[in-house]
Coordinates of all heavy atoms in Angstrom, one line a residue:
P614 N 83.8 99.9 135.4 CA 82.5 99.4 135.1 C 82.1 98.3 136.3 O 83.0 97.9 137.0 CB 82.5 98.7 133.8 CG 84.1 98.4 133.6 CD 84.7 99.4 134.4
T615 N 80.8 98.1 136.3 CA 80.4 97.2 137.4 C 81.2 95.9 137.1 O 81.2 95.3 136.1 CB 78.8 96.9 137.2 OG1 78.2 98.1 137.4 CG2 78.3 96.0 138.3
R616 N 81.6 95.3 138.1 CA 82.5 94.1 138.1 C 81.6 92.8 137.7 O 80.6 92.6 138.3 CB 83.2 93.9 139.4 CG 84.3 92.9 139.3 CD 85.1 92.9 140.5 NE 85.8 94.1 140.8 CZ 86.7 94.5 140.1 NH1 87.4 93.7 139.2 NH2 87.4 95.6 140.4
A617 N 82.0 92.2 136.8 CA 81.3 91.0 136.3 C 81.8 89.8 137.3 O 82.8 89.8 137.9 CB 81.7 90.6 134.8
P618 N 81.0 88.5 137.3 CA 81.5 87.5 138.1 C 82.8 87.0 137.6 O 83.0 87.2 136.4 CB 80.3 86.5 137.9 CG 79.2 87.3 137.4 CD 79.8 88.4 136.6
P619 N 83.6 86.4 138.5 CA 84.9 86.0 138.1 C 84.8 84.9 137.1 O 83.9 84.1 137.0 CB 85.4 85.4 139.4 CG 84.4 85.2 140.3 CD 83.2 86.2 139.9
S620 N 85.8 84.9 136.0 CA 85.7 83.9 135.0 C 86.1 82.5 135.6 O 86.9 82.5 136.5 CB 86.7 84.3 133.9 OG 86.2 85.5 133.4
P621 N 85.8 81.4 134.9 CA 86.3 80.1 135.3 C 87.8 80.0 135.3 O 88.3 80.8 134.5 CB 85.7 79.1 134.3 CG 84.5 80.0 133.7 CD 84.9 81.3 133.7
P622 N 88.4 79.3 136.2 CA 89.9 79.2 136.2 C 90.4 78.7 134.9 O 89.9 77.7 134.4 CB 90.1 78.3 137.4 CG 88.9 78.2 138.2 CD 87.8 78.5 137.3
P623 N 91.3 79.4 134.3 CA 91.9 78.9 133.0 C 92.9 77.9 133.3 O 93.4 77.8 134.4 CB 92.7 80.1 132.4 CG 93.0 81.0 133.6 CD 91.9 80.6 134.6
P624 N 93.0 76.9 132.3 CA 94.2 75.9 132.5 C 95.5 76.6 132.7 O 95.7 77.6 132.1 CB 94.1 75.1 131.3 CG 92.7 75.4 130.7 CD 92.3 76.6 131.2
A625 N 96.4 76.0 133.4 CA 97.7 76.6 133.6 C 98.4 76.9 132.4 O 99.2 77.9 132.3 CB 98.6 75.8 134.6
D626 N 98.3 76.0 131.4 CA 99.1 76.2 130.2 C 98.6 77.1 129.2 O 99.1 77.4 128.2 CB 99.4 74.8 129.6 CG 98.0 74.2 129.2 OD1 96.9 74.7 129.6 OD2 98.0 73.2 128.4
T627 N 97.3 77.8 129.6 CA 96.7 78.7 128.7 C 96.8 80.2 129.5 O 96.0 81.0 129.0 CB 95.3 78.4 128.3 OG1 94.4 78.3 129.5 CG2 95.4 77.1 127.5
A628 N 97.4 80.3 130.6 CA 97.4 81.4 131.2 C 97.9 82.5 130.3 O 98.8 82.4 129.5 CB 98.3 81.4 132.5
P629 N 97.6 83.9 130.5 CA 98.1 85.0 129.7 C 99.6 85.0 129.8 O 100.1 85.0 131.0 CB 97.4 86.2 130.3 CG 96.1 85.7 131.0 CD 96.6 84.4 131.5
Q630 N 100.2 85.3 128.7 CA 101.6 85.3 128.7 C 102.2 86.7 129.0 O 101.6 87.7 128.8 CB 102.1 85.0 127.1 CG 101.7 83.5 126.8 CD 102.1 82.5 127.7 OE1 103.4 82.4 127.9 NE2 101.2 81.7 128.3
P631 N 103.4 86.6 129.6 CA 103.9 87.8 130.2 C 104.5 88.7 129.1 O 104.7 88.3 128.0 CB 105.1 87.4 131.1 CG 105.5 86.1 130.6 CD 104.3 85.5 130.0
D632 N 104.8 89.9 129.6 CA 105.5 90.9 128.6 C 106.9 90.7 128.6 O 107.5 90.0 129.5 CB 105.0 92.2 129.1 CG 105.9 93.4 128.9 OD1 106.5 93.5 127.8 OD2 106.1 94.1 130.0
S633 N 107.6 91.4 127.7 CA 109.0 91.2 127.6 C 109.8 92.4 127.9 O 110.7 92.9 127.1 CB 109.3 90.8 126.2 OG 108.9 91.6 125.2
S634 N 109.3 93.2 128.9 CA 110.0 94.4 129.3 C 109.9 95.4 128.1 O 108.9 95.5 127.5 CB 111.4 94.1 129.8 OG 111.9 95.3 130.4
L635 N 111.0 96.2 127.9 CA 110.9 97.3 126.9 C 111.2 96.8 125.5 O 110.9 97.6 124.5 CB 111.8 98.4 127.3 CG 111.6 99.1 128.7 CD1 112.6 100.0 129.0 CD2 110.2 99.7 128.6
E636 N 111.9 95.7 125.4 CA 112.2 95.3 124.0 C 111.1 94.6 123.2 O 110.2 94.1 123.9 CB 113.4 94.4 124.0 CG 113.3 93.0 124.6 CD 113.4 93.1 126.1 OE1 113.6 94.1 126.6 OE2 113.6 92.0 126.7
I637 N 111.2 94.6 121.9 CA 110.0 94.2 121.2 C 110.5 92.7 120.7 O 111.5 92.5 120.1 CB 109.8 94.9 119.9 CG1 109.2 96.4 120.4 CG2 108.8 94.3 119.0 CD1 109.0 97.3 119.2
L638 N 109.7 91.7 121.1 CA 110.0 90.3 120.7 C 109.4 89.9 119.5 O 108.3 90.3 119.2 CB 109.7 89.3 121.9 CG 110.4 89.5 123.3 CD1 109.8 88.4 124.2 CD2 111.9 89.3 123.0
P639 N 110.0 89.0 118.7 CA 109.3 88.5 117.6 C 108.2 87.7 118.0 O 108.0 87.2 119.0 CB 110.4 87.6 116.9 CG 111.7 88.0 117.4 CD 111.4 88.6 118.8

Side-chain angles (χ1 to χ4, degrees):
T615 302
R616 194 174 293 285
S620 303
D626 58 351
T627 61
Q630 298 303 304
D632 149 47
S633 58
S634 191
L635 297 177
E636 65 271 17
I637 297 173
L638 293 182

